[in-house]
Amino acid sequence: MAGMPDLREVTVGTGAGLDTADMVLNIGPQHPSTHGVLRLRLVLDGERVISCEPIVGYMHRGAEKLFEVRDYRQIIVLANRHDWLSAFSNELGVALAVERLMGIEVPDRAVWLRMALAELNRVLNHLMFLGSYPLEIGAITPVFYAFRERETLQAVMEEASGGRMHYMFNRVGGLKEEVPAGWTRRAREAIGEVRRRLPDLDNLIRRNEIFLARTVGVGVLTASQAAAYGASGPVGRASGLDFDLRRDDPYLAYGELSVPVVTRTAGDCHSRFEVLLDQVYVSLDLAQECLDRVDRLTGPVNVRLPKVVKAPEGHTYAWTENPLGINGYYLVSRGEKTPWRMKLRTASYANVQALTTLLPGCLVPDLIAILGSMFFVVGDIDK
Amino acid sequence: MGVPGEGLAKGLAVTLKTMTRRSHTHQYPDQAPDLPPRSRGVIALLAENCTVCMLCARECPDWCIYIDSHKEEVVVPGAARARQRNVLDRFDIDFSLCMYCGICIEACPFDALYWSPEFEYAEYDIKNLLHDKDQLGEWMATVPPPPAHDPNGEPAKEETAAAKRAGGESPGRAPRAPR
């Protein structure tokens, strides 16, 4: 990095270098700089982290077990809550799995509406982290800009679904109901507004010297490490894993769109942040394309279902590119109205595992920078 | 990278630009938020429509609806024997448990439950979030008419039902002749 002094660590000894015992420090489960209740058990040598063990489960709500005693409509309620920042995408995965098992063909209009909403949900999720991550490392301003944009898009989501976080708009076989008249126009306007104002956020933080100093070269996750830990989504792509289910295993109608996949190779905190920021632009474009398509399609947005929805005996695995990475839904049905088992593979769970290799060797202040840049939701880890 | 301090200058430029604009926020208690009709604020009950079928209570994912009823005999003039009718005694929703999913409203076959965007019912004690049928009934006044559907999609069920009725066809539940 030109223009930035090389950081050099100097060990200044006083006296006859005493052997100090390593300190065990628990970050969390309640700590202002962790989101939610992730606990990190650190072994420190002075300011340096020697080892790190993420301890998960403080927020375990037994979602998978609850799925086994809920019918498919009720599962959608629960499924949109484990990762509360990507509720729509979570619902989508469940609906896709059930639809595949039941052999339901979803009407075109519903497919494209789902994609539009999923992309808007992705933008909402990313904006959250684009605001909160700088906040964690001391930049207070960007969060206001991020939330201004979030508010604009949330209004659109709320108008269609009635919810601001837990949309509950997916149903097996399509969507809950048709969007209100003029909604696609207002959604397009909102997208235009966000796209116009996004440079504000971009200018504030992307190349800010202090932000660069805190993030460039910090917490480097190599592509092989990312792959080994199963990191996906923005975290994986920032390390150079060029993998995006929207392009590589298209679900819904993503096959008909060309999805530009944002990647970086550095694998540091800054590239993770940049992937997120650039994905917002991409998702806004995709959402707009989907809305244009929606306007050209007519017809219903759901199929008529039997009074009691039962998935036939069998199993299926549906995976989706959620905002934070790959979410997988392994559904095993024995022909009941509830699944026999529904296993969740969540992005955050895999992504935080990488902390074990990422943190040793770094300094405590960098820990906050790295932790924040792994972009996880604790509910998504603990389920 | 460019000039040192360029990033900071750019950031300050954004701040300056924003300073000249009107504020984006509203002062909430003074200015009511503009909520869309589909907003899921609170569940209102139209008790006259409720037949105590218990579908909502059964479909609720966390069983936060409590219903009690008793049977009453209704003597229909001209009928051979008196008919029985369910009378709703208690219809409570515990909003401290409610997940605002709307399944009860969807499940209700007689349109007795509605979403209202009303949200100002915070309480100091969690016990007070259990609301009875009188309170739920009061919220009926705040239920907005549903928005018209996108003309490209299918019309709302309210519209098709109204059209049917206007067309002379019998509405969903035709009044049956007494047995």
Side-chain angles (χ1 to χ4, degrees):
Chain A
M1 297 256 1
M4 296 235 306
D6 284 333
L7 288 180
R8 202 150 52 90
E9 199 186 345
V10 186
T11 311
V12 186
T14 50
L18 286 168
D19 259 357
T20 51
D22 289 342
M23 183 168 76
V24 176
L25 178 69
N26 283 298
I27 304 252
Q30 304 289 341
H31 189 271
S33 69
T34 65
H35 330 239
V37 284
L38 176 70
R39 175 176 162 209
L40 295 176
R41 191 174 167 279
L42 304 173
V43 179
L44 298 178
D45 177 14
E47 278 278 280
R48 202 163 280 286
V49 178
I50 293 176
S51 70
C52 159
E53 188 195 348
I55 300 169
V56 303
Y58 285 94
M59 212 181 176
H60 182 61
R61 290 158 292 176
E64 289 174 12
K65 208 68 195 162
L66 286 171
F67 290 164
E68 293 169 17
V69 288
R70 294 290 187 282
D71 69 29
Y72 291 108
R73 185 165 52 181
Q74 294 173 334
I75 284 175
I76 291 173
V77 184
L78 292 172
N80 77 21
R81 280 166 162 81
H82 63 85
D83 174 359
W84 48 80
L85 292 179
S86 24
F88 190 85
S89 316
N90 296 337
E91 295 172 3
L92 192 58
V94 176
L96 287 175
V98 182
E99 282 157 12
R100 191 177 302 168
L101 209 52
M102 293 179 71
I104 295 176
E105 189 152 344
V106 178
D108 265 359
R109 191 171 159 84
V111 169
W112 286 91
L113 265 174
R114 275 179 171 183
M115 283 164 64
L117 290 161
E119 290 307 318
L120 288 177
N121 191 199
R122 190 184 312 275
V123 175
L124 279 170
N125 171 298
H126 286 2
L127 281 171
M128 183 70 181
F129 286 104
L130 290 173
S132 76
Y133 179 52
L135 189 65
E136 274 161 30
I137 54 176
I140 299 167
T141 322
V143 72
F144 298 114
Y145 291 86
F147 269 70
R148 181 181 69 185
E149 310 317 334
R150 266 176 69 84
E151 203 55 45
T152 311
L153 294 175
Q154 251 171 353
V156 166
M157 296 296 274
E158 190 180 9
E159 194 194 339
S161 72
R164 292 167 58 82
M165 273 182 101
H166 300 299
Y167 307 109
M168 194 59 197
F169 201 47
N170 275 294
R171 288 295 181 276
V172 173
L175 295 171
K176 179 174 174 261
E177 55 189 337
E178 181 56 53
V179 293
W183 179 82
T184 49
R185 180 177 51 80
R186 285 187 287 278
R188 247 194 299 271
E189 281 167 9
I191 290 171
E193 239 175 274
V194 172
R195 194 184 286 131
R196 185 171 53 76
R197 291 187 308 215
L198 205 58
D200 285 356
L201 184 66
D202 204 322
N203 285 333
L204 269 175
I205 196 74
R206 191 200 286 258
R207 306 240 52 101
N208 178 296
E209 276 83 357
I210 304 165
F211 185 66
L212 291 174
R214 286 297 302 274
T215 54
V216 173
V218 172
V220 176
L221 184 71
T222 62
S224 58
Q225 278 171 338
Y229 280 101
S232 55
V235 175
R237 285 197 283 277
S239 301
L241 289 184
D242 188 7
F243 184 58
D244 189 321
L245 285 180
R246 290 175 293 170
R247 183 197 60 194
D248 299 324
D249 184 14
Y251 52 100
L252 293 174
Y254 279 113
E256 293 176 40
L257 289 176
S258 70
V259 181
V261 179
V262 180
T263 54
R264 290 288 183 281
T265 47
D268 59 359
C269 294
H270 192 257
S271 50
R272 283 191 280 273
F273 184 81
E274 270 198 324
V275 168
L276 220 57
L277 190 48
D278 288 342
Q279 278 194 174
V280 171
Y281 292 102
V282 170
S283 286
L284 287 174
D285 292 346
L286 288 177
Q288 177 127 26
E289 248 178 275
C290 295
L291 286 170
D292 292 345
R293 193 63 177 261
V294 167
D295 274 347
R296 281 183 271 128
L297 291 166
T298 55
V301 290
N302 43 31
V303 294
R304 280 188 75 86
L305 291 173
K307 265 232 146 42
V308 180
V309 176
K310 286 182 179 171
E313 193 162 341
H315 58 94
T316 188
Y317 184 73
W319 60 349
T320 57
E321 184 69 35
N322 259 40
L324 298 178
I326 294 168
N327 267 27
Y329 303 82
Y330 183 52
L331 170 67
V332 184
S333 172
R334 298 212 166 155
E336 304 284 315
K337 64 177 192 174
T338 62
W340 184 75
R341 175 87 167 94
M342 176 111 122
K343 167 82 179 82
L344 279 175
R345 186 262 187 229
T346 54
S348 304
Y349 183 77
N351 291 356
V352 293
Q353 303 307 320
L355 286 172
T356 325
T357 48
L358 216 47
L359 290 179
C362 79
L363 296 171
V364 172
D366 290 342
L367 173 135
I368 306 303
I370 296 169
L371 197 60
S373 76
M374 294 309 284
F375 308 129
F376 58 84
V377 168
V378 177
D380 202 28
I381 301 171
D382 294 347
K383 289 174 269 198
Chain B
M1 246 175 64
V3 200
E6 192 193 344
L8 294 172
K10 262 173 140 180
L12 283 171
V14 171
T15 306
L16 274 174
K17 195 178 86 185
T18 311
M19 260 171 70
T20 62
R21 301 262 168 85
R22 279 181 69 85
S23 141
H24 200 80
T25 47
H26 299 309
Q27 292 295 329
Y28 156 62
D30 302 327
Q31 195 183 350
D34 188 19
L35 294 172
R38 281 189 187 173
S39 261
R40 303 200 301 263
V42 77
I43 298 166
L45 169 74
L46 189 62
E48 299 89 90
N49 280 4
C50 180
T51 62
V52 203
C53 68
M54 308 288 278
L55 275 178
C56 52
R58 284 208 318 243
E59 284 291 313
C60 176
D62 53 2
W63 306 295
C64 69
I65 303 179
Y66 310 99
I67 300 175
D68 281 336
S69 67
H70 67 271
K71 284 203 191 310
E72 227 170 51
E73 296 219 319
V74 190
V75 183
V76 184
R81 55 196 162 90
R83 289 209 295 164
Q84 290 210 317
R85 195 171 69 93
N86 286 320
V87 180
L88 188 64
D89 293 328
R90 172 181 183 224
F91 192 106
D92 293 357
I93 297 181
D94 190 345
F95 284 101
S96 63
L97 290 177
C98 178
M99 301 208 289
Y100 296 83
C101 64
I103 286 180
C104 51
I105 293 160
E106 239 180 291
C108 180
F110 305 109
D111 290 334
L113 292 168
Y114 293 88
W115 274 122
S116 153
E118 173 62 37
F119 61 95
E120 293 166 314
Y121 54 98
E123 295 285 349
Y124 286 104
D125 195 321
I126 198 165
K127 292 189 300 230
N128 302 336
L129 280 169
L130 182 76
H131 289 300
D132 61 3
K133 68 176 198 292
D134 298 328
Q135 178 60 58
L136 297 175
E138 267 171 47
W139 276 316
M140 264 320 286
T142 63
V143 174
H149 280 191
D150 194 310
N152 282 340
E154 289 193 328
K157 67 172 172 35
E158 290 87 351
E159 280 176 59
T160 40
K164 257 187 190 172
R165 221 162 282 157
E169 277 179 62
S170 60
R173 285 182 70 230
R176 238 179 294 160
R179 277 180 289 169

